[in-house]
Amino acid sequence: MPETAAAPPTPPIPLAALLAREDLGLRQIAGPVEAGAAVHMVHTSEMADPYPYLLGGELLLSAGVLLKDPDRYASRIVQAGATALGFGLAPVYDTVPADLIEACDRHGLPLLEVPPQTTFTAVARAVWRLMAEARHRELRRVTQAQQGLAAAAARPDPVPAVLHQLAVRLEGWAVLLGPDGTELSSSGRVPSPEARAGVIRLARVVSPGTGPSPRPTPASATDTVSPPSASEPGAAGPGVAAVSHLSAYALGGSRGLVLGLAAPAREAGDHTVAGVAVVLLSLLTAPHQGADAAGRSAALVRMLLGASPAETAPLLGPGPWRVVHGQGGDDSPFAATALGAALGSALVDPDADGCVRVLLPAEREVGAQPGWTLGVSAPALPEELAAADVQAARAVRRATATRKALVRHRDTAPVSLDEARHRLAPLADSPALVETLRTWLSLHGSWDRTAAAMEIHRNTVRQRIARCQTLLDEDLDDADVRMELWFALRHG
């Protein structure tokens, strides 16, 4: 696995935030002024063609040492997906070349003038500092939201309290919907009719229904709607929020209940905050909690008295289930219980080796938990739980070895052509990443041979493969993953 893959993701920063730093003295002199332009990293290059070394999202810094053809230079930077070009006014040029300014305007590339007193190192340091500040704000916001939601869940009216707290944290509208789209409870700013209809539409996407054979559905779905302008019929009136970012989350074990959200923006950490609310609402709305607990206790007693797993399975529930193994956590006696609560299950078993086993319904989404290393099994029926326990144990060992927060057991069944194309969709806009992945897989993961075959630096290969791994959300150390991706590239 590439060394950078284990590092936590760093939020990008707005280009405008960098321009606002008076100590840098940066000035945009060409290209579009876009509010959404974001910098993901900084790269310095004096190559005549920096394209092979760019991943996309960079602020490229250059003094123009080998600048010969400004038009091609700007076009290649745009093709690589860089966010902006920072041009230093020393030591080669006293002013930014006029033909480079024209080329950047023509190709839609933001061009920043870097004054002589500002070093490229200072620009890079400022970007990393802004990213660190953004990451800190995100983590603090998520932590505060988790505390607020947990406190709301302890109130006498927990479901409305959790919805209210979620609406406040996301500055939008939170609603609990029934399987038929009926609004059971809601809180927050009233959304526009378009947003409300969009949330209900997303709820149908994630709701599995209540029949004897519920259809497979995603755990969450998102969409964006544009509210009508004030001059159009049905425009949002006073007190109605002009929200546009919508999402829906299926609640586990709740007979088709769905959490719907509508907010004016989608910020880093929102999905994590919503995930905490989903776990809490799933527990609070689970039907017949007392009966379930009694049945599971009866299953445990019968097993202690010698009954077989097959005999006790009906008391546990029909399943399917997942087994999760957790390593880590803190040293408190409540760490195992806290992990179970975070995953939405009271079926927790800490063993003497420091491993915590958690059993939970398969439809409940399992996400990474701070301080824990998790291994997750495939869905299993009650009689298959022993095999699932082995799968989870292997997965957590792999997570520990590769320094990942969470590893899932993979089903190695062959993928279809449509599935192959779907898996590669995140790379569709980056031919350079696709070709690098194809070459790297064909050469059995060799960095040097891939670099030689593509005539690029081996570090560029590592960076691109790390980028592929992030976009695809796949473990490229897994032989099965490599095989399936190779099939997808060959036949997709």
Side-chain angles (χ1 to χ4, degrees):
M1 182 180 69
E3 293 85 352
T4 57
T10 304
I13 64 165
L15 183 59
L18 192 61
L19 289 168
R21 290 283 299 260
E22 296 182 358
D23 58 318
L24 298 177
L26 304 180
R27 185 168 65 97
Q28 182 169 348
I29 59 175
V33 180
E34 299 179 356
V39 175
H40 293 258
M41 65 189 84
V42 178
H43 182 70
T44 301
S45 174
E46 297 300 340
M47 302 294 293
D49 179 12
Y51 175 89
Y53 301 92
L54 300 178
L55 300 175
E58 297 95 344
L59 168 61
L60 175 64
L61 299 175
S62 175
V65 174
L66 297 179
L67 180 64
K68 304 297 182 184
D69 185 347
D71 186 80
R72 184 176 185 276
Y73 185 74
S75 69
R76 292 286 283 172
I77 295 173
V78 171
Q79 289 175 23
T83 297
L85 169 64
F87 195 87
L89 296 185
V92 182
Y93 291 90
D94 295 330
T95 60
V96 181
D99 47 1
L100 179 61
I101 295 175
E102 294 173 0
C104 289
D105 276 328
R106 186 161 50 251
H107 292 286
L109 175 65
L111 175 62
L112 312 185
E113 180 187 80
V114 183
Q117 69 273 16
T118 300
T119 64
F120 287 174
T121 301
V123 176
R125 184 185 296 117
V127 169
W128 302 134
R129 185 170 297 167
L130 289 170
M131 286 182 172
E133 292 172 355
R135 180 65 172 169
H136 178 71
R137 288 194 300 270
E138 176 189 337
L139 293 175
R140 182 172 57 186
R141 175 171 173 263
V142 169
T143 299
Q144 292 173 344
Q146 289 175 329
Q147 294 172 346
L149 290 168
R155 293 187 53 179
D157 51 347
V159 171
V162 169
L163 292 174
H164 173 72
Q165 185 67 213
L166 185 59
V168 170
R169 296 292 176 178
L170 302 184
E171 298 182 359
W173 181 63
V175 60
L176 183 63
L177 299 170
D180 57 354
T182 303
E183 183 177 318
L184 304 178
S185 182
S186 66
S187 182
R189 304 165 63 190
V190 179
S192 66
E194 292 79 12
R196 186 188 295 267
V199 169
I200 294 175
R201 183 175 64 255
L202 289 179
R204 298 192 189 100
V205 173
V206 302
S207 178
T210 58
S213 300
R215 58 185 175 87
T217 58
S220 63
T222 61
D223 197 4
T224 303
V225 298
S226 299
S229 63
S231 60
E232 295 179 9
V240 178
V243 294
S244 57
H245 296 277
L246 317 177
S247 53
Y249 300 83
L251 301 190
S254 301
R255 295 184 177 179
L257 297 185
V258 173
L259 170 64
L261 299 172
R266 186 173 292 138
E267 300 181 7
D270 284 357
H271 184 72
T272 303
V273 173
V276 174
V278 168
V279 170
L280 292 173
L281 291 171
S282 297
L283 294 173
L284 293 170
T285 60
H288 312 303
Q289 288 184 357
D292 285 349
R296 291 162 187 165
S297 297
L300 176 60
V301 170
R302 292 193 186 186
M303 290 189 72
L304 291 173
L305 294 176
S308 68
E311 293 173 318
T312 57
L315 294 174
L316 180 64
W321 299 81
R322 288 188 193 275
V323 179
V324 179
H325 279 212
Q327 295 277 4
D330 54 41
D331 296 330
S332 73
F334 308 107
T337 304
L339 176 62
L343 297 178
S345 176
L347 301 176
V348 180
D349 173 32
D351 65 19
D353 296 328
C355 177
V356 177
R357 292 181 175 88
V358 182
L359 183 65
L360 69 163
E363 71 270 13
R364 190 160 295 159
E365 185 175 358
V366 179
Q369 301 298 321
W372 289 93
T373 300
L374 303 182
V376 184
S377 76
L381 297 175
E383 59 270 20
E384 301 168 335
L385 287 177
D389 186 53
V390 174
Q391 293 173 359
R394 290 173 178 169
V396 78
R397 285 197 298 269
R398 185 169 187 80
T400 301
T402 57
R403 298 183 180 180
K404 290 189 174 182
L406 184 148
V407 167
R408 303 177 191 276
H409 174 80
R410 292 186 53 80
D411 183 357
T412 58
V415 296
S416 68
L417 184 58
D418 288 340
E419 290 173 328
R421 290 170 176 164
H422 177 73
R423 290 179 70 171
L424 291 173
L427 305 183
D429 296 332
S430 182
L433 293 182
V434 173
E435 188 58 31
T436 303
L437 180 60
R438 188 197 314 276
T439 306
W440 184 74
L441 290 173
S442 72
L443 297 174
H444 309 291
S446 170
W447 307 113
D448 292 327
R449 293 169 63 193
T450 302
M454 298 190 67
E455 298 182 349
I456 58 178
H457 197 278
R458 69 192 304 271
N459 288 342
T460 302
V461 177
R462 287 181 177 273
Q463 292 170 354
R464 289 185 181 179
I465 295 301
R467 183 69 171 159
C468 290
Q469 182 161 268
T470 299
L471 293 174
L472 295 173
D473 192 23
E474 298 279 9
D475 180 5
L476 296 183
D477 277 343
D478 191 314
D480 291 325
V481 173
R482 292 194 186 191
M483 177 190 67
E484 292 168 3
L485 288 175
W486 176 245
F487 169 82
L489 289 164
R490 287 290 302 272
H491 303 285

